[in-house]
Amino acid sequence: VRMVGNQAEGYVAAGGAVANEFGGSLTIHRSELSGNAVTGDVIAVGGGITSDIGPTLNEDGSPGNGTGKPSVHVSYSSFAENEVRALVSDPSQAVPFEPFAGFALGGALSSFAGDTIVSHSRFEDNRVFGGDGGNGSTGGFSAGGAIFTDDFSPFDFEGPIFGRDSSLDVSISSFVGNTSSGGAGSDGATGGFATGGAITASIAFFDETASIRHSQFKYNTAVGGVGGEGGMGGKALGGAVAALAGADVYIAKSKFSHNEAIGGDGGVGGQGGDGVGGAIGAGRLITAVDTDLEFLIPSLNVRHTMLDGNEAWGGTGGVGASGGDGNGGAIGVTEG
């Protein structure tokens, strides 16, 4: 099957080609998804595919805790030039999703509160762009130029913990030239946080594990957003792969070459952002509004893996300000 040039647009937009919702089971085999696009006013996810639980109602008509978790199985398929773009990062415009204003996630595939298996597949030149800040807001967060996964879902209304156990298993696949770009900050505000040029695994109220084996990552990039006038450049974490919040990421028998984490340039008078982990990065999740998510801590386990020619660059400082730091050309760990 070929799915080419499809689009999803809206206030919150998801799944440029396929939306696997309400706990569905989706199999993609020997197929091509390319040139699909998602454009969301405040949140955009899943340029090719999005997968999520769905909302339910209690007997009294109030929102329930959602359907069972979904699953996606991708094999022998290609994802190229799919794009996710959020337009605006402004919590006042994102109600009831204020913490996630301007988020852009999963250029090819996004998976929420479900299980995803990817094997023998290629992801090339997929992209995510966080929304630009408005009304003094920071630039929007971008994650997973190719794949984003977490165990959180906004359709689980009966918290305080929202979501399901989830997992990502990637094997014998290649990721080339994928990009995660944070949004520009408005005047006086910081550029957006960018993570995982190829893959980001995030949050973890439950067991959230990502396993990457026998795979290659080349020329993937995470780029922090440009700061507004007087604002700092955004941080970039994990040019190829990022582990965020409480996610557990395991990488084995893989190769990472020429990936980059590049901090955003500062606005006039603003310091450049830091670039952390040219190939692989781990850190906390920073949202548009302070939440308890910032206290979740990830773990990273890398074994029998080659890391060659990866780079971490600090962003250029604005007039009168210093540039950012480049930390961990291959692997970088940060608090924020």
Side-chain angles (χ1 to χ4, degrees):
V1 174
R2 296 182 70 241
M3 298 184 184
V4 179
N6 302 286
Q7 299 183 48
E9 300 180 4
Y11 171 72
V12 174
V18 180
N20 179 49
E21 305 284 350
F22 293 92
S25 178
L26 172 68
T27 298
I28 303 287
H29 181 65
R30 297 193 183 278
S31 296
E32 173 193 350
L33 286 83
S34 62
N36 303 291
V38 172
T39 304
D41 291 345
V42 295
I43 298 174
V45 301
I49 299 169
T50 191
S51 181
D52 202 348
I53 68 176
T56 58
L57 293 176
N58 296 321
E59 291 184 1
D60 62 2
S62 62
N65 62 356
T67 63
K69 67 180 181 179
S71 65
V72 177
H73 189 180
V74 176
S75 59
Y76 297 95
S77 296
S78 65
F79 295 75
E81 298 182 356
N82 300 288
E83 180 176 297
V84 168
R85 186 180 294 270
L87 299 180
V88 178
S89 177
D90 181 354
S92 67
Q93 296 187 38
V95 178
F97 306 109
E98 297 97 324
F100 313 110
F103 271 34
L105 311 173
L109 188 158
S110 62
S111 176
F112 301 94
D115 296 323
T116 302
I117 298 173
V118 176
S119 66
H120 301 89
S121 294
R122 181 175 177 85
F123 295 78
E124 185 170 1
D125 294 332
N126 301 286
R127 303 172 292 271
V128 290
F129 299 92
D132 291 341
N135 297 322
S137 299
T138 61
F141 171 71
S142 65
I147 297 175
F148 175 83
T149 178
D150 71 17
D151 61 1
F152 170 89
S153 173
F155 296 123
D156 188 345
F157 287 98
E158 291 193 338
I161 296 176
F162 306 92
R164 303 284 187 276
D165 289 343
S166 61
S167 65
L168 171 68
D169 188 300
V170 176
S171 64
I172 318 175
S173 295
S174 63
F175 296 80
V176 180
N178 303 287
T179 306
S180 173
S181 300
S186 57
D187 287 350
T190 303
F193 185 25
T195 72
I199 296 175
T200 295
S202 183
I203 309 186
F205 293 126
F206 305 95
D207 291 335
E208 158 69 10
T209 58
S211 173
I212 300 169
R213 295 165 290 115
H214 300 285
S215 294
Q216 294 192 29
F217 296 80
K218 298 188 297 183
Y219 301 108
N220 302 287
T221 308
V223 184
V226 176
E229 184 171 352
M232 294 177 57
K235 181 176 291 183
L237 177 69
V241 174
L244 287 183
D248 297 328
V249 176
Y250 173 80
I251 300 171
K253 297 181 179 179
S254 296
K255 182 176 181 179
F256 293 77
S257 60
H258 306 291
N259 304 285
E260 294 181 299
I262 305 172
D265 293 340
V268 175
Q271 183 176 329
D274 295 341
V276 181
I280 303 167
R284 299 183 183 183
L285 174 64
I286 301 173
T287 58
V289 176
D290 289 341
T291 69
D292 289 342
L293 301 177
E294 296 178 10
F295 298 99
L296 295 169
I297 299 173
S299 66
L300 183 62
N301 187 342
V302 181
R303 300 181 176 219
H304 305 292
T305 291
M306 178 179 288
L307 299 108
D308 174 41
N310 305 285
E311 298 181 339
W313 296 90
T316 301
V319 176
S322 61
D325 296 331
N327 298 313
I331 298 175
V333 179
T334 180
E335 284 191 349

